[in-house]
């Protein structure tokens, strides 16, 4: 099974390469920042850690599978002593006082952090253009967006600047850029990986997500980060996914897809054509394929953004320059809060905070916010019913190909609608994987809650038939 992690591990153990040289090579690729993927390099830390790995190997000591493997971190994760800016003016000088649980588990396993990666400010965007560090450029065509909000993480993996990267997925922020850059990106079941130390956007859908070039590397990284965390009460104990368990898809008998996604006028004709061709390939392998009914895309987008904006308005209320961020003093405390947030937050972030406060305000919360919660329950119930009929659901990742840099900023509504095929699975808190097959922007594979193993299993099956 393809795996950069295993390949590099074997080369390190056999002394074909040194960890120090490997890290220096990756840092040399990142330093020019050709695709605006780098917010800050962790070069000194990375090289010091690499030297320790080389010493262990020289002394004949065993090393773990992830030990010495270079990786990237989306710049919304706390890593003690590093700048954690969320690609925002407000936090451009903020240094983390602690390390996120998911990242600490990787560090404990010996993985070497190279870079804090560019993203949409506070995760607010679908293109990685809403950032003070410059728009992330697509790995395949630098005139196009890298996707968002984990655009820097996806492009770094696609360009081989990092072996894997850790993104964050709220409504598609790992899956969509993975699709735009033709790599793998996983949103695991909500709660499988601790969110402690991940800067909160919408807490009820935020997920830590690995991005890599192979299913096996996704599996390896997922296993290391998973597990119960006393610092995150939404987490749960999960079983390790074994390599042999995802090699045989014989127990997958039925696959579903949402016919309204495919019949939508918004979908690009080439993406639709390729998706329907994928369905025929699956049928040819003796698997039953069922067309399923689901909520219309505009309902999904409206429900998601109603709830996400409400949560981000609440989560970001602490960022007023008092305890965190770049404070701007005015004549009184209230004006200081106002000017600090007005001057330091992006237009997109302000748009989402204003929208969130609106739907939570008296006179609107019953009519809008509570209705959004009720719709979310209906969406979750719809998924439960679907997974009584099918084992797996597949869908396009996006209705359209990646736009040119600049186009999304002119039309925020179009940017929101680019999430039409990802946000439903976030609301359902389901495990969903983008694979770089099936359409120009890949396919999504989704299973019922806690069935992350099944998602990886079907991804291996698709890799062999597409």
């Amino acid at each position: 099974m393809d795996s950069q992690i295993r390949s590099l591990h074997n080369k390190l153990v056999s002394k074909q390469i040194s960890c120090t040289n490997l890290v220096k090579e990756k840092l040399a690729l990142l330093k020019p920042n050709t695709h605006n993927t780098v917010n800050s390099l962790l070069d000194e830390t990375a090289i010091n850690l690499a030297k320790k790995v080389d010493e262990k190997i020289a002394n004949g000591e065993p090393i773990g599978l992830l030990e010495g493997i270079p990786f990237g971190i989306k710049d919304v994760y706390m890593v003690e002593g590093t700048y954690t800016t969320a690609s925002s003016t407000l936090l451009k000088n903020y240094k983390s006082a602690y390390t996120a649980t998911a990242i600490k588990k990787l560090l404990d396993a010996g993985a070497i952090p190279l870079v804090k990666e560019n993203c949409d400010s506070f995760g607010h965007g679908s293109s990685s253009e809403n950032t003070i560090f410059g728009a992330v450029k697509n790995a395949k065509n630098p005139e196009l967006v890298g996707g968002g909000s984990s655009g820097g993480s996806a492009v770094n993996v696609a360009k081989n600047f990092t072996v894997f990267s850790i993104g964050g997925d709220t409504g598609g922020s790992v899956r969509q850029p993975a699709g735009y850059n033709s790599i793998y990106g996983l949103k695991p079941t909500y709660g499988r990986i601790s969110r402690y130390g991940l800067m909160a956007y919408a807490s009820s859908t935020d997920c830590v997500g690995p991005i890599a070039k192979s299913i096996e590397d996704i599996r390896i990284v997922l296993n290391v980060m998973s597990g119960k965390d006393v610092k995150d009460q939404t987490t749960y104990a999960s079983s390790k996914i074994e390599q042999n368990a995802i090699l045989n898809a014989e127990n997958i008998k039925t696959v579903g897809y949402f016919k309204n996604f495919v019949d939508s006028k918004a979908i690009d004709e080439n993406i639709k054509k390729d998706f329907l061709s994928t369905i025929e390939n699956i049928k040819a392998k003796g698997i039953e394929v069922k067309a399923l009914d689901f909520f219309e895309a505009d309902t999904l987008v409206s429900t998601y953004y109603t709830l996400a904006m409400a949560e981000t308005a609440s989560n970001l209320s602490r960022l007023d320059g008092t305890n965190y961020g770049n404070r701007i003093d005015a004549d009184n405390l209230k004006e200081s809060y106002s000017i600090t947030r007005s001057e330091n937050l992006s237009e997109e972030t302000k748009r989402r905070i204003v929208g969130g406060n609106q739907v939570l305000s008296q006179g609107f919360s019953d009519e809008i916010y509570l209705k959004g919660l009720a719709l979310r329950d209906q969406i979750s119930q719809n998924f439960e019913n679907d997974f009584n009929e099918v084992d797996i659901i597949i869908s396009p990742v996006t209705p359209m190909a990646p736009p040119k840099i600049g186009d999304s900023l002119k039309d925020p509504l179009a940017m929101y609608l680019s999430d039409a095929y990802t946000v439903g699975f976030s609301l359902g808190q389901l495990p969903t994987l983008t694979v770089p097959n099936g359409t120009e922007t890949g396919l999504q594979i989704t299973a019922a809650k806690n069935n992350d193993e099944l998602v990886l299993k079907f991804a291996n099956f698709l890799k062999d038939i597409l």
Side-chain angles (χ1 to χ4, degrees):
M1 185 182 292
D2 293 339
S3 169
Q4 282 193 67
I5 291 173
R6 288 191 184 279
S7 176
L8 289 171
H9 172 76
N10 291 336
K11 288 179 180 179
L12 287 169
V13 170
S14 64
K15 300 181 182 179
Q16 295 178 53
I17 59 173
S18 77
C19 189
T20 303
N21 285 341
L22 172 63
V23 165
K24 285 181 177 179
E25 286 172 9
K26 296 295 185 185
L27 288 170
L29 293 173
L30 287 163
K31 194 169 184 179
N33 200 15
T34 55
H35 286 67
N36 289 340
T37 59
V38 178
N39 286 4
S40 59
L41 285 179
L42 311 180
D43 44 359
E44 185 176 341
T45 298
I47 290 171
N48 287 337
L49 290 172
K51 288 178 180 178
K52 291 179 181 179
V53 174
D54 285 334
E55 287 174 10
K56 287 184 71 173
I57 294 169
N59 293 332
E61 298 176 46
I63 63 169
L65 186 57
L66 276 181
E67 204 159 351
I69 304 299
F71 75 105
I73 305 167
K74 183 179 180 180
D75 200 10
V76 291
Y77 287 95
M78 302 298 167
V79 180
E80 186 177 356
T82 71
Y83 288 105
T84 302
T85 71
S87 296
S88 70
T89 302
L90 186 66
L91 295 177
K92 65 182 179 181
N93 296 315
Y94 175 74
K95 280 193 173 182
S96 307
Y98 66 99
T99 299
T101 296
I103 305 303
K104 188 175 187 306
K105 286 186 173 185
L106 292 170
L107 299 180
D108 288 346
I112 296 180
L114 298 181
V115 56
K116 301 296 283 291
E117 297 167 320
N118 199 0
C119 57
D120 284 301
S121 181
F122 296 105
H124 296 158
S126 303
S127 63
S128 292
E129 293 173 280
N130 297 302
T131 163
I132 63 171
F133 295 101
V136 174
K137 300 175 183 178
N138 189 283
K140 296 185 289 184
N141 181 349
E143 293 184 359
L144 306 180
V145 301
S149 59
S150 306
S153 303
V155 172
N156 278 341
V157 170
K159 297 293 291 184
N160 291 313
F161 298 163
T162 60
V163 177
F164 67 91
S165 287
I166 305 304
D169 193 306
T170 305
S173 296
V174 161
R175 290 163 286 155
Q176 184 248 47
Y180 278 0
N181 293 281
S182 298
I183 51 177
Y184 293 90
L186 175 69
K187 184 198 83 65
T189 300
Y190 179 81
R192 185 182 181 98
I193 303 174
S194 173
R195 292 179 293 110
Y196 179 75
L198 165 62
M199 207 173 293
Y201 167 12
S203 303
S204 67
T205 55
D206 285 347
C207 288
V208 178
I211 300 171
K213 277 196 162 182
S214 73
I215 300 161
E216 176 64 0
D217 287 349
I218 293 284
R219 183 192 71 84
I220 291 168
V221 176
L222 175 65
N223 278 337
V224 170
M225 293 193 297
S226 297
K228 181 78 174 171
D229 180 13
V230 295
K231 296 173 182 175
D232 179 359
Q233 295 304 306
T234 64
T235 55
Y236 63 92
S238 56
S239 300
K240 184 178 179 180
I241 300 174
E242 300 293 342
Q243 184 183 35
N244 290 340
I246 65 171
L247 297 179
N248 191 326
E250 288 181 358
N251 61 330
I252 298 175
K253 305 295 184 183
T254 55
V255 171
Y257 72 95
F258 298 129
K259 58 186 179 184
N260 59 305
F261 280 12
V262 180
D263 293 338
S264 169
K265 293 179 181 177
I267 191 170
D268 178 89
E269 281 301 316
N270 288 328
I271 290 177
K272 177 178 180 178
K273 177 184 173 184
D274 290 343
F275 182 75
L276 293 175
S277 177
T278 295
I279 288 174
E280 293 305 313
N281 285 331
I282 293 170
K283 287 179 180 178
K285 293 297 180 179
I287 294 176
E288 183 183 3
V289 177
K290 292 185 177 182
L292 303 170
D293 292 317
F294 198 45
F295 293 80
E296 292 299 323
D298 56 353
T299 301
L300 296 172
V301 171
S302 298
T303 302
Y304 168 76
Y305 276 103
T306 293
L307 300 179
M309 287 182 178
E311 291 186 35
T312 205
S314 175
N315 283 328
L316 295 188
S317 62
R318 73 194 77 175
L319 299 181
D320 55 20
T322 302
N323 293 311
Y324 309 100
N326 180 36
R327 182 184 178 90
I328 300 175
D329 289 316
D331 293 337
N332 56 60
L333 186 61
K334 185 176 180 180
E335 286 186 17
S336 292
Y337 288 161
S338 176
I339 194 170
T340 293
R341 288 165 69 83
S342 295
E343 294 296 321
N344 285 311
L345 295 175
S346 72
E347 291 303 310
E348 183 58 36
T349 293
K350 286 187 280 190
R351 186 180 293 117
R352 296 189 188 203
I353 289 173
V354 169
N357 285 327
Q358 176 81 359
V359 302
L360 289 173
S361 63
Q362 187 174 5
F364 287 93
S365 59
D366 288 355
E367 183 65 25
I368 303 175
Y369 180 67
L370 294 183
K371 186 179 289 186
L373 291 176
L375 273 168
R376 178 182 185 145
D377 290 341
Q378 292 176 39
I379 290 165
S380 295
Q381 185 60 54
N382 199 112
F383 281 128
E384 285 188 28
N385 296 339
D386 287 339
F387 285 116
N388 287 328
E389 292 186 43
V390 300
D391 301 311
I392 287 286
I393 293 173
I394 63 169
S395 68
V397 180
T398 64
M400 302 293 288
K404 287 186 175 181
I405 290 173
D407 288 355
S408 296
L409 298 179
K410 299 172 188 173
D411 189 352
L413 180 58
M415 179 183 68
Y416 299 157
L417 291 174
S418 73
D419 297 332
Y421 296 167
T422 56
V423 293
F425 303 118
S426 295
L427 292 168
Q429 301 184 336
L430 305 176
T432 307
L433 174 72
T434 287
V435 300
N437 318 99
T439 79
E440 180 182 349
T441 57
L443 293 172
Q444 281 183 110
I445 303 170
T446 305
K449 282 184 181 180
N450 307 326
N451 276 341
D452 303 62
E453 180 181 295
L454 199 64
V455 167
L456 299 181
K457 185 178 293 192
F458 194 68
N460 267 320
F461 168 78
L462 279 186
K463 179 171 64 72
D464 292 336
I465 70 166
L466 295 181

